[in-house]
Amino acid sequence: MAAPTQPANSPPADLERIFRENHALVFRAAYRITGNAGDAEDVLQTVFLRMLKRDPGAEPVGNMSSFLHRAAVNAALDLVRVRQNVRNIPMDELEPVLAEPAHRGPDRLQHSGEIREWLRGALARLNPRIAEMFMLRFFEGKDNPEIAQLLNTTPGTVAVTLSRTRDRLEKEYRAYLGGVA
């Protein structure tokens, strides 16, 4: 069953309901990109203020959760771009570090922090749609068909985009380390 269409500029009561239903989703998406609760709260506020200020004549929103998730990703990426000091770290090193428990030694904790900062910068350099695909796959663990449905594309497009993005980021890291790009 298709999600009901939401008006572009909802009355305050509807906006309050939309906020209650989706604020956690927006906050989590922003936090995964910014890595900072304060910044994620700023993004949350920005997203809902933009909803409040939307043009009454704007197109209705088909899938509110997906719309708000995309808005959160874009606003968080904008924030990271503004603050970013870009460094490069390989993709093969990212997945195990991101999955590690928090009770690591100080050296691993420092290294994983550097990797997370690099990844934020790398995501900020990507096209927002590609960054969102990457985030949904590698941060939220969604599979390609789920991502395709959320972003209104095909699983094949998602697979190709993610593969190319991973290859690009790995190449950037090798170049950063002084290896052959």
Side-chain angles (χ1 to χ4, degrees), residues 98-112:
L98 292 172
E100 284 181 357
H103 59 280
R104 298 183 290 257
D107 58 332
R108 293 288 298 188
L109 190 59
Q110 173 65 30
H111 184 65
S112 65

Side-chain angles (χ1 to χ4, degrees), residues 28-54:
R28 279 192 311 272
Y31 184 81
R32 284 187 181 107
I33 292 175
T34 65
N36 177 298
D39 289 343
E41 288 173 3
D42 289 346
V43 168
L44 175 70
Q45 183 177 6
T46 298
V47 167
F48 282 97
L49 281 174
R50 287 178 183 166
M51 283 290 295
L52 186 63
K53 295 177 181 178
R54 276 185 65 136

Side-chain angles (χ1 to χ4, degrees), residues 148-159:
Q149 184 178 11
L150 284 170
L151 300 180
N152 197 28
T153 190
T154 66
T157 298
V158 172

Side-chain angles (χ1 to χ4, degrees), residues 24-35 43 66 68-78 80 91 98 119-120 122-124 126-144 146-147 150-151 158 161-162 165-166 169:
L25 171 130
V26 171
F27 181 86
R28 279 192 311 272
Y31 184 81
R32 284 187 181 107
I33 292 175
T34 65
V43 168
S66 180
L68 291 171
H69 186 275
R70 180 172 290 161
V73 167
N74 289 335
L77 287 171
D78 289 344
V80 169
M91 294 303 298
L98 292 172
L119 184 56
R120 286 184 189 99
L123 289 172
L126 295 174
N127 170 293
R129 184 171 172 86
I130 293 171
E132 184 172 13
M133 280 184 196
F134 189 89
M135 224 186 81
L136 287 168
R137 176 67 181 96
F138 293 104
F139 288 6
E140 297 187 18
K142 300 210 180 290
D143 60 22
N144 292 356
E146 287 177 292
I147 296 168
L150 284 170
L151 300 180
V158 172
T161 301
L162 290 173
T165 302
R166 183 182 169 104
L169 294 174

